Amino acid sequence: MSSQNYDSACLPDLLPLYYRRLFPFSQYFRWLNYGGVQKNYFQNREFSFTLKDDIYVRYQSFSTQTELEKEMQKMNPYKIDIGAIYSHRPSQHNTVKSGTFQALEKELVFDIDMTDYDDVRSCCSAADICCKCWTLMTIAIRILDRALRDDFGFQQLLWVYSGRRGVHCWVCDEGARKLSSAARSAVAEYLSLVKGGDDTLKKVVLTDPIHPFIRESLLLVERYFSRYALLEQDILGRKESVEKVLSLVPEDILYLKELQQVFQNEKKPETRWKLVKDHAIRKQVCISGTSKKGQHFEKEIMLQYCYPRLDVNVSKGVNHLLKSPFSTLSLSLLSFEPWTGRISVPMDLKELETFDPFAVPTISQICEELDRPRSGEEDGKSEDAKEKENEKEAAERRRIRDYKRTSLAKYVKYFDRFLDGMACSWKGELLKKSDLQKDF
Amino acid sequence: MNSGTMDFSSGRKKSLTNTQTELYRHHLQFYDQPPLENISLGEFEAFAVDRLKLLKTVENVGVSYLKGSDQYSNKLVSELKSLNFPYRPDADDRKPQTGPSEHDKRRKDHISHFILRLAYCQTEDLRRWFIQQEVDLFRHRFDELSPQQKLELLNRNNLQYATTSVKEKILLKDELLNSSYNVSGITVEEQDFYKVPFQDALDLVRARKVYLKAGYVYIPQKDIVTIVLNDFRTRLSKSLALTARSLPAVHSDERLQPLLNHLSHAYVGQDYSIQKNVGKISLDQIDSLSGKSFPLCMRQLHQSLRENHHLRHGGRMQYGLFLKGIGLSLEQALQFWRSEFIRGKVDADKFDKAYAYSVRHMFGKEGKRTDYTPYSCMKVILSNPPSQGDHHGCPFRHSDPELLKQKLQFYKVPASGISQILELVKGMHFQLACQKYFELTHNIDDANFSLNHPNQYFIESQKVLGGGKEIKREVDTAQRLQENSATKGSAATREPAADASKAEDEMTEDLDSYFQDA
């Protein structure tokens, strides 16, 4: 079950099954309701759906979990995006006086997309990914997760594999949800080190003093650099790559000539890199008050090849829509790019090093797993008996049993743990609120 | 002065007085609480006008000197003093002093600020200008506080940022040093570091200029003013937005509406004090220019001067500075006034003795020169109303409507236009009336500018009458000069402000912040 070209004709059959029996609605609602601490939080949340035939609808909103389920089962969206919590119910936004319908809160989000690294990866390009370049995502997650927790003090971070070629981070802390657009862009810029587009050769420039954030990030990059860049990407191997790397070294003609000569004899990437670094050290010692630029070029090279590249615009807007966890599709069917049908799943960082994007279940896979004969489960009779009870409860239980039988299980389980972690703070908030009310 | 009721029961009044007494115990405040007392209209108007003068000075001084420099501070202090605003942080009423008490000054500061909020909340431009000047004024007054007073101010206003313990500082020493290029080892040792939530220091976070840990940035005491100013700016901006919503209620009060309108037409543009087109105009052009390109007030003054061979002080100032603004050199001005005056009752000697001095004064050649920039419309309308025998002021404001009508007819303004103008005058829209006069005399439908200043009228008129490109370049250059430095002014005139020989770099850099968005 890997990234083969998918038969799009299957989707119309699979989606209803997915939404009826597999999509974790109760966890989903538990998340977006945030403990019911704030009134109408779920009701005022915008969802957008991409439907069959590439129809895109915005400003969807729902009053209850049941309504959400019913609608989604009716519409069978190919893709779901989550937007902001607005001042009014998004589905009624046309009835609101113009100017008063406003996006109020939303999780702080980050989107890391592999296509933004095309200039520094040689194994793949555009929408492709492989296990070699996936390390970039690992590095990105490590760096951003640390910074968001240690520097910014956020605690409730949900990392999600986007289903195709990147990862998303949802920062769910209350303080994060209430951040203004200016604050979001400030956070994103604090986290940005790689700047410049196609016509910028040198995308990372460091000056003294080196900020603790950069130092910490470098430590993390260094953990992966040797294996990822020198070995797997072989950046100091082939001639073109070597030239690219050397183009980031400050112009020192003698040194470059020297290096090229030495490289003729020395083929091992690690040794080559060591030579590059040694020169950096020598240069630092030499610098005495003259040009301060260029003294950190070996750090700059590492960062340019490995440091996370975020799209500030995704993080900046309070009303920006981002693909939802547990959504299936990444793009419209009218384009002819191959798509994987992989579910957008939460990632457990404890297993980050062994995460394999190609092992993430696809919708067809889990639907197939549903049909497999059940092993060691209750037989039909007791099921019937249970069905005589509350229909909804039975359906719910059935669904819970259902996803547990598929590869989706461990992701939902992890999501549950994440929600448990958040629930403690919700309880605290609810208590606070009721206390205040009593006081009055 | 509550925008709602003006009546208080005596009991409530007592507790309000207590709150305000508490507020006035301190030199500097954040203007969080609006004043809640009765105030006479006279005081209302006087306070507002004084604060406007103060803010205008803040603006000018900020352009002429480096903010925070001694000259800057001294100028502000003297203006605060002369307008009876609090100027010494350590002053209090325990020591007897002449003139208004410290309590009275602080009360004036408090009330005048809130009155101007009413006038300046209405448009984006007005808000921006008001916030900028209030922030600069606040910065100056904050800087004058002692460290102890600064701490107290922060605490009183819920900017209760925790400080780092000595232990924590030692632990974080390297991080603190490496986070910012203006933090030295000495800073770390000697100063307290405040832990400010990162949302209150976004600019520092964005540029990664500060140490950030667990959501707090660590700011040395010496830099805390930036945070405080940001906070002040944000609060004021929010308040102005709220104030704008309650405006309709305020405007319905007929006593307040006229004054607020005048205040809000206040001049926030360039002050034409720097001449670029010196000598471009010859004296024999003035007569024809007065008919074609002068606003009505100056045309009137010119006419009176020609008829009576004399103008009183108010008229000399208003007209003389205007002429300087359109480009008359000192020599030309002296010649102009002299030749006219000696046709009257003044002989050459007397002119040289009595009047020449004041002409030179206008050009900055005598004594110090504070306010001698060409008068803006607001100034002409609001200050120094003309009395019998005077010809200065704003004809739309100060002339009897019948007389005004006659004047306009004499100047051949079409009848329909005259009634339009009179309508505007009736609604107290004096500058709009003058703009209408501009449109009618230039035969155009839309003036395409918002009239604020007589010299602006002149420049716009010259634009319309041809020579558009040349004038535009001059306008642009004049504006750039205004922004760049007084030291770059033309050779003929020098502002004494320019004596402050600050590096141009410093000026331009500082002026960037001057033009920053609120």
Side-chain angles (χ1 to χ4, degrees):
Chain A
M1 252 4 106
S2 49
S3 58
Q4 70 232 50
N5 273 9
Y6 211 84
D7 185 359
S8 58
C10 289
L11 254 195
D13 297 325
L14 296 173
L15 284 174
L17 194 60
Y18 179 63
Y19 289 122
R20 257 191 312 117
R21 293 174 65 182
L22 293 165
F23 188 94
F25 283 107
S26 78
Q27 285 86 349
Y28 199 64
F29 177 81
R30 191 178 170 214
W31 172 33
L32 295 175
N33 192 39
Y34 283 96
V37 173
Q38 272 174 251
K39 227 175 83 155
N40 288 325
Y41 218 55
F42 182 78
Q43 291 74 8
N44 289 347
R45 170 83 72 165
E46 179 192 0
F47 296 87
S48 76
F49 293 155
T50 307
L51 307 174
K52 182 166 79 132
D53 295 331
D54 214 22
I55 298 173
Y56 181 65
V57 289
R58 267 193 77 174
Y59 300 112
Q60 306 299 296
S61 63
F62 312 98
S63 317
T64 59
Q65 177 185 334
T66 312
E67 192 184 322
L68 173 75
E69 284 185 42
K70 282 216 177 83
E71 288 303 305
M72 277 174 65
Q73 283 157 3
K74 196 162 72 175
M75 296 201 254
N76 290 306
Y78 282 48
K79 180 178 171 227
I80 306 163
D81 289 321
I82 299 178
I85 293 139
Y86 282 81
S87 51
H88 305 76
R89 290 191 188 198
S91 57
Q92 296 169 350
H93 74 283
N94 283 323
T95 67
V96 176
K97 191 166 88 162
S98 84
T100 47
F101 179 69
Q102 294 186 346
L104 299 178
E105 300 188 16
K106 191 175 69 74
E107 294 75 9
L108 171 62
V109 295
F110 297 94
D111 180 355
I112 320 281
D113 191 327
M114 200 71 91
T115 50
D116 292 335
Y117 293 80
D118 280 354
D119 57 313
V120 290
R121 52 177 184 147
S122 54
C123 50
C124 311
S125 70
D128 295 329
I129 59 169
C130 69
C131 50
K132 278 196 242 169
C133 50
W134 182 258
T135 313
L136 286 170
M137 293 296 115
T138 310
I139 297 174
I141 294 175
R142 288 263 179 248
I143 291 179
L144 295 177
D145 195 76
R146 183 213 72 79
L148 289 167
R149 288 180 196 280
D150 294 351
D151 293 10
F152 285 98
F154 296 126
Q155 294 175 322
Q156 292 156 5
L157 277 63
L158 181 70
W159 285 96
V160 180
Y161 169 55
S162 75
R164 223 154 48 107
R165 55 178 199 242
V167 293
H168 299 155
C169 179
W170 295 77
V171 185
C172 301
D173 297 62
E174 188 187 350
R177 284 180 267 134
K178 292 175 154 49
L179 287 177
S180 67
S181 177
R184 286 162 205 258
S185 89
V187 174
E189 293 204 34
Y190 176 92
L191 298 169
S192 299
L193 275 182
V194 180
K195 308 211 169 128
D198 289 333
D199 29 347
T200 314
L201 213 56
K202 197 154 175 58
K203 298 192 163 88
V204 181
V205 176
L206 301 177
T207 51
D208 272 332
I210 303 280
H211 192 279
F213 164 76
I214 300 179
R215 208 194 49 229
E216 292 291 331
S217 306
L218 269 167
L219 284 175
L220 288 166
V221 167
E222 278 165 6
R223 274 169 51 181
Y224 296 87
F225 186 74
S226 189
R227 174 170 58 89
Y228 164 73
L230 300 177
L231 222 59
E232 291 170 355
Q233 294 289 324
D234 201 21
I235 62 174
L236 286 177
R238 285 165 312 133
K239 189 161 180 274
E240 313 90 61
S241 317
V242 173
E243 273 169 16
K244 248 178 150 181
V245 174
L246 292 185
S247 73
L248 301 177
V249 171
E251 278 168 34
D252 183 338
I253 318 241
L254 279 176
Y255 164 64
L256 285 174
K257 274 216 161 74
E258 202 184 287
L259 258 191
Q260 271 154 356
Q261 267 205 312
V262 173
F263 277 20
Q264 299 229 333
N265 303 326
E266 185 49 70
K267 301 287 181 193
K268 279 202 1 223
E270 285 94 340
T271 325
R272 284 182 169 186
W273 178 243
K274 187 165 184 309
L275 289 167
V276 172
K277 276 201 291 183
D278 283 342
H279 181 75
I281 297 174
R282 251 181 287 143
K283 217 170 161 66
Q284 280 185 347
V285 172
C286 282
I287 286 177
S288 46
T290 49
S291 164
K292 290 283 178 85
K293 258 211 276 188
Q295 55 179 155
H296 295 295
F297 68 83
E298 93 282 12
K299 301 190 180 78
E300 290 163 351
I301 292 172
M302 285 198 282
L303 292 172
Q304 183 153 339
Y305 275 84
C306 300
Y307 186 86
R309 298 162 180 221
L310 2 124
D311 184 353
V312 178
N313 289 319
V314 170
S315 309
K316 194 163 68 171
V318 179
N319 55 1
H320 193 102
L321 292 149
L322 187 64
K323 185 179 179 193
S324 168
F326 299 107
S327 178
T328 56
L329 251 206
S330 306
L331 41 67
S332 92
L333 290 178
L334 294 184
S335 83
F336 293 101
E337 279 186 55
W339 52 275
T340 63
R342 284 195 207 287
I343 315 281
S344 200
V345 292
M347 296 166 70
D348 186 352
L349 294 200
K350 291 206 196 85
E351 301 179 5
L352 183 59
E353 299 301 327
T354 53
F355 182 85
D356 178 8
F358 300 100
V360 171
T362 63
I363 186 174
S364 67
Q365 177 188 341
I366 56 177
C367 287
E368 212 178 299
E369 285 167 350
L370 261 185
D371 288 336
R372 280 199 219 119
R374 308 170 196 184
S375 47
E377 290 215 330
E378 308 112 275
D379 58 37
K381 251 199 227 151
S382 71
E383 269 209 39
D384 285 335
K386 283 192 171 119
E387 271 170 58
K388 277 183 194 145
E389 299 168 48
N390 188 326
E391 251 303 314
K392 177 182 171 215
E393 264 184 56
E396 184 76 38
R397 249 182 282 121
R398 213 183 307 135
R399 183 165 46 233
I400 294 173
R401 282 200 304 276
D402 279 344
Y403 78 70
K404 283 194 180 158
R405 293 195 285 127
T406 69
S407 314
L408 200 58
K410 75 167 186 178
Y411 300 101
V412 180
K413 198 164 163 200
Y414 168 69
F415 191 44
D416 266 325
R417 286 206 308 274
F418 170 73
L419 294 172
D420 289 338
M422 286 213 285
C424 299
S425 65
W426 300 337
K427 241 191 234 150
E429 284 303 306
L430 282 169
L431 273 172
K432 239 197 271 173
K433 264 186 146 187
S434 69
D435 274 347
L436 285 171
Q437 283 167 339
K438 280 194 208 120
D439 266 320
F440 203 96
Chain B
M1 179 204 66
N2 196 324
S3 58
T5 100
M6 290 268 219
D7 235 326
F8 301 103
S9 69
S10 59
R12 199 170 156 211
K13 201 170 184 174
K14 253 190 220 137
S15 65
L16 286 169
T17 322
N18 283 343
T19 325
Q20 283 198 167
T21 317
E22 176 54 41
L23 192 59
Y24 298 155
R25 208 174 274 152
H26 305 283
H27 169 73
L28 184 57
Q29 59 156 306
F30 270 77
Y31 310 106
D32 276 341
Q33 300 301 319
L36 293 169
E37 55 170 288
N38 291 342
I39 172 176
S40 72
L41 278 178
E43 213 174 25
F44 187 92
E45 179 160 2
F47 279 8
V49 169
D50 278 354
R51 193 177 193 90
L52 194 51
K53 286 185 188 165
L54 174 64
L55 292 187
K56 193 63 186 121
T57 303
V58 169
E59 182 186 29
N60 279 333
V61 160
V63 178
S64 317
Y65 305 101
L66 184 60
K67 288 185 202 177
S69 67
D70 283 340
Q71 275 142 321
Y72 178 87
S73 302
N74 292 338
K75 283 266 191 285
L76 272 185
V77 166
S78 81
E79 184 75 358
L80 285 163
K81 197 167 167 186
S82 74
L83 291 169
N84 289 322
F85 285 109
Y87 63 93
R88 264 179 47 226
D90 52 356
D92 59 40
D93 288 327
R94 273 173 292 180
K95 287 185 266 170
Q97 47 176 323
T98 56
S101 68
E102 208 56 39
H103 178 277
D104 288 341
K105 293 181 195 170
R106 291 171 187 174
R107 176 177 169 268
K108 179 174 178 172
D109 176 45
H110 185 208
I111 293 175
S112 63
H113 170 89
F114 275 89
I115 299 175
L116 286 194
R117 278 197 195 182
L118 294 174
Y120 280 84
C121 63
Q122 298 175 66
T123 71
E124 188 60 44
D125 281 342
L126 289 173
R127 284 201 284 260
R128 191 174 301 151
W129 184 86
F130 180 68
I131 290 174
Q132 184 60 54
Q133 310 326 316
E134 286 284 345
V135 166
D136 282 346
L137 178 62
F138 188 89
R139 180 194 292 119
H140 160 81
R141 296 170 72 189
F142 184 82
D143 282 342
E144 302 271 300
L145 296 175
S146 71
Q148 180 63 20
Q149 287 172 315
K150 284 180 184 168
L151 245 169
E152 279 171 6
L153 178 70
L154 294 183
N155 287 337
R156 255 185 297 126
N157 289 279
N158 294 323
L159 288 173
Q160 266 147 352
Y161 300 133
T163 51
T164 55
S165 64
V166 178
K167 226 185 187 182
E168 199 182 355
K169 260 203 295 181
I170 296 175
L171 223 73
L172 294 175
K173 180 162 180 210
D174 283 334
E175 273 82 353
L176 293 171
L177 278 176
N178 285 322
S179 306
S180 170
Y181 53 77
N182 75 342
V183 169
S184 66
I186 300 180
T187 314
V188 177
E189 267 177 41
E190 294 181 352
Q191 294 202 8
D192 272 338
F193 275 72
Y194 290 92
K195 292 190 343 195
V196 176
F198 82 87
Q199 292 94 324
D200 293 349
L202 288 181
D203 289 333
L204 292 172
V205 170
R206 182 190 307 274
R208 220 182 294 116
K209 280 200 180 137
V210 71
Y211 181 58
L212 174 63
K213 181 167 153 206
Y216 289 89
V217 296
Y218 287 62
I219 303 202
Q221 192 160 14
K222 66 186 171 91
D223 293 339
I224 200 67
V225 66
T226 332
I227 306 298
V228 174
L229 284 179
N230 273 347
D231 188 82
F232 180 75
R233 183 191 290 270
T234 314
R235 289 194 210 191
L236 186 54
S237 185
K238 284 194 189 140
S239 303
L240 282 182
L242 281 173
T243 309
R245 284 188 223 157
S246 67
L247 262 192
V250 175
H251 271 184
S252 64
D253 188 325
E254 291 159 355
R255 301 166 295 173
L256 300 183
Q257 201 211 21
L259 175 69
L260 291 178
N261 277 339
H262 295 161
L263 288 175
S264 69
H265 289 144
Y267 188 59
V268 300
Q270 54 166 328
D271 59 10
Y272 301 93
S273 56
I274 302 179
Q275 298 181 288
K276 179 57 178 167
N277 7 347
V278 179
K280 283 267 164 84
I281 295 179
S282 67
L283 291 182
D284 50 9
Q285 288 179 285
I286 294 190
D287 279 326
S288 88
L289 281 176
S290 79
K292 286 192 295 186
S293 291
F294 281 14
L296 193 60
C297 54
M298 303 303 173
R299 185 177 190 177
Q300 177 175 286
L301 279 165
H302 181 74
Q303 195 183 336
S304 310
L305 177 62
R306 287 292 191 224
E307 280 170 7
N308 306 320
H309 311 298
H310 188 268
L311 272 183
R312 286 204 187 156
H313 176 79
R316 289 201 303 274
M317 288 302 290
Q318 185 174 326
Y319 189 34
L321 289 170
F322 170 77
L323 289 175
K324 176 165 96 81
I326 69 173
L328 245 58
S329 68
L330 174 60
E331 292 68 41
Q332 286 178 305
L334 283 168
Q335 189 187 342
F336 174 75
W337 291 103
R338 195 169 194 267
S339 64
E340 200 56 53
F341 269 43
I342 61 180
R343 270 194 218 135
K345 299 191 194 139
V346 176
D347 65 10
D349 259 2
K350 182 161 184 216
F351 179 84
D352 288 338
K353 281 203 191 100
Y355 297 103
Y357 177 95
S358 84
V359 178
R360 284 201 302 279
H361 205 257
M362 271 187 238
F363 280 75
K365 293 305 180 190
E366 301 281 354
K368 72 178 169 97
R369 198 178 136 275
T370 354
D371 247 339
Y372 293 172
T373 53
Y375 295 174
S376 64
C377 291
M378 183 226 85
K379 182 157 183 161
V380 171
I381 290 170
L382 274 189
S383 44
N384 196 16
S387 25
Q388 192 64 303
D390 284 327
H391 299 277
H392 63 265
C394 173
F396 301 99
R397 164 83 169 92
H398 297 121
S399 288
D400 179 53
E402 264 312 303
L403 277 178
L404 177 62
K405 187 170 167 189
Q406 282 176 31
K407 208 170 293 181
L408 291 171
Q409 284 167 336
F410 177 75
Y411 287 142
K412 302 210 175 49
V413 178
S416 57
I418 295 184
S419 42
Q420 280 181 300
I421 291 180
L422 291 178
E423 267 309 303
L424 287 167
V425 166
K426 210 161 113 185
M428 295 180 122
H429 304 295
F430 309 121
Q431 282 148 283
L432 288 177
C434 191
Q435 231 170 276
K436 180 56 64 185
Y437 169 79
F438 180 98
E439 286 162 9
L440 293 163
T441 51
H442 290 77
N443 230 331
I444 57 177
D445 283 343
D446 193 359
N448 249 331
F449 65 92
S450 195
L451 182 62
N452 275 317
H453 198 292
N455 286 89
Q456 176 196 19
Y457 185 109
F458 178 80
I459 289 177
E460 293 291 336
S461 169
Q462 289 288 291
K463 261 202 255 180
V464 170
L465 294 175
K469 269 204 201 122
E470 196 188 43
I471 296 294
K472 180 157 173 44
R473 226 187 309 122
E474 282 170 354
V475 168
D476 285 352
T477 342
Q479 264 181 314
R480 237 182 304 121
L481 268 185
Q482 177 98 12
E483 292 167 25
N484 275 341
S485 162
T487 53
K488 256 188 173 181
S490 64
T493 63
R494 293 205 78 234
E495 288 194 45
D499 288 335
S501 49
K502 296 291 169 191
E504 234 173 75
D505 290 354
E506 287 177 301
M507 293 280 267
T508 349
E509 189 194 2
D510 203 52
L511 285 155
D512 280 344
S513 65
Y514 164 72
F515 285 106
Q516 242 164 44
D517 276 355

